[in-house]
Amino acid sequence: MPSSIKILGIDADDTLWQNEEFFRMVQDRFADMLAAYMPADPLHKHLLAAERRNLGRYGYGIKGFMLSMVETAIDVSQAQVPAHVIHDIVRMGQDMLSHPIHLLPGVADCLPQLADTYKLVLITKGDLLHQEQKLAQSGLGDFFNDVHIVSEKQVNTYSKIFGTDVKTAAMVGNSIKSDIVPALDAGAAAIHIPARYEWAMEKAVEPTSHPRFFKAREFKNVCDLLTQI
Amino acid sequence: MPSSIKILGIDADDTLWQNEEFFRMVQDRFADMLAAYMPADPLHKHLLAAERRNLGRYGYGIKGFMLSMVETAIDVSQAQVPAHVIHDIVRMGQDMLSHPIHLLPGVADCLPQLADTYKLVLITKGDLLHQEQKLAQSGLGDFFNDVHIVSEKQVNTYSKIFGTDVKTAAMVGNSIKSDIVPALDAGAAAIHIPARYEWAMEKAVEPTSHPRFFKAREFKNVCDLLTQI
């Protein structure tokens, strides 16, 4: 049966390429750097609290994460942390910004196939320049008809991007909160591909009973799944 | 004579509202904080060098500026700067991010008039979330048919935004390098409104002999000027 879907919105971080895994690695190194002041577990909680507090002013992305790490290091050390440790934190963030792109399994094969059949639209939140750079480095740019880098993914984000075609659109992504629920609420279908790691701020309840909610184990399963929607 | 122009691209920072003036104030406070390590003049040079070095990884905006200030403070103090000074630098940057918008003279009166006659498109570079927040706070959002927040303003930026209407488009802005030269090269007209302060990285030679280059002393002069183009 041919698919009723014509347009695919596709998330980037942790859907097309690894992202959260790098954040976890950096957070572990951050905990090592500050072990003299606080054990890893409460430190992670402090950092997450700083990220939450700063989200409205910094938005998503590595620069805000770097600034939240610096702030946390100063807080938990009661301003005793030496400047060379802060220097190391900044350098670690700069390394994150220039980290090579690792595509997730199935993406390199399946995305070109999808591009033959569907209109593909990249929909990602995060830092404008860094998301552009990651897309360029991924080599996937040419498969997308359009790219939307947005500050937040809400119902009206999807309504605006899909417009009157929303009923023939499906959003593909790893975040229930940002990719799935608001896309369903806008009237699109949604395909969830769980990531290995999920950022604490993206946790949300799966809309399992929604008739247009689908799950794929890996990106390569999206191709088959779509013929059934 | 009615204007041949139908579409106006308008820059935001230092064209519609003050921006560089806040950066200057913060740089002066930054110099006070680090006076024990280096005098103001060479410190400003160090900071500008850090901004240049980091532009490709951080892009434009306050978060990158904050990180460049932190890096500079550590550099010039040879990692002797106390953590509480870095804390003050981060707080100062956070204050910049939440600073109220000060519209430049003539904008509040002239922009609604322009919106009656022309299709207005905001074209600004900088941080996605912060530029959105500034536009919302400015109260000017409804006058624009479209908003483009871009990572860099180059010829193809203007070609893409103005499309086939480029001959009836004019770009209005304070930066010769970002608003004027690439817009002229794309085939649009360009109206330069010099700002009180110009960022060192935006300095460029005025294309005074270009037939589609115009100058306005203040934003309010744009209304009159357009009837002559």
Side-chain angles (χ1 to χ4, degrees), chain A residues 197-218:
Chain A
Y197 298 106
E198 197 75 41
W199 188 29
M201 277 206 258
E202 291 291 332
K203 285 199 192 305
V205 179
E206 279 194 18
T208 40
S209 63
H210 195 293
R212 305 200 78 200
F213 173 65
F214 303 90
K215 278 185 89 81
R217 221 166 60 85
E218 284 195 353

Side-chain angles (χ1 to χ4, degrees), chain A residues 56 58 63 94 132-133 151, chain B residues 56 58 63 94 132-133 151:
Chain A
Y58 295 154
K63 285 177 293 183
Q94 291 181 345
E132 286 178 354
Q133 287 172 337
S151 59
Chain B
Y58 295 154
K63 285 177 292 183
Q94 292 182 344
E132 286 178 354
Q133 288 172 336
S151 59

Side-chain angles (χ1 to χ4, degrees), chain A residues 5 13 40 45-46 50 55 58 71-72 99 112 171-172 184 192 194 221:
Chain A
I5 300 297
D13 290 340
K45 288 197 178 72
H46 268 262
L55 190 62
Y58 295 154
E71 187 180 322
T72 302
H99 201 287
M171 180 66 196
V172 180
L184 289 172
H192 183 223
N221 305 123

Side-chain angles (χ1 to χ4, degrees), chain A residues 59-213:
Chain A
Y60 298 94
I62 289 174
K63 285 177 293 183
F65 179 64
M66 291 165 73
L67 289 164
S68 289
M69 281 195 292
V70 168
E71 187 180 322
T72 302
I74 297 171
D75 275 359
V76 304
S77 71
Q78 299 183 302
Q80 296 307 303
V81 62
H84 70 83
V85 174
I86 295 179
H87 184 249
D88 290 344
I89 293 169
V90 171
R91 287 298 294 271
M92 191 166 64
Q94 291 181 345
D95 287 347
M96 285 182 89
L97 283 168
S98 58
H99 201 287
I101 294 299
H102 291 180
L103 294 187
L104 286 166
V107 170
D109 292 332
C110 180
L111 199 74
Q113 290 178 40
L114 292 175
D116 284 343
T117 311
Y118 305 95
K119 180 183 165 190
L120 303 189
V121 182
L122 190 82
I123 307 174
T124 177
K125 66 188 183 189
D127 187 76
L128 187 57
L129 177 66
H130 191 221
Q131 294 298 78
E132 286 178 354
Q133 287 172 337
K134 286 197 282 193
L135 181 61
Q137 283 168 28
S138 73
L140 302 177
D142 288 346
F143 297 115
F144 290 96
N145 293 73
D146 222 338
V147 174
H148 295 270
I149 300 168
V150 297
S151 59
E152 199 60 85
K153 288 176 171 178
Q154 292 161 336
V155 180
N156 65 358
T157 317
Y158 294 105
S159 300
K160 200 172 160 197
I161 291 173
F162 294 136
T164 54
D165 298 322
V166 70
K167 288 288 167 204
T168 58
M171 180 66 196
V172 180
N174 71 297
S175 169
I176 295 285
K177 186 181 163 200
S178 295
D179 301 317
I180 305 303
V181 172
L184 289 172
D185 287 349
I191 300 173
H192 183 223
I193 312 174
R196 189 164 162 203
Y197 298 106
E198 197 75 41
W199 188 29
M201 277 206 258
E202 291 291 332
K203 285 199 192 305
V205 179
E206 279 194 18
T208 40
S209 63
H210 195 293
R212 305 200 78 200
F213 173 65

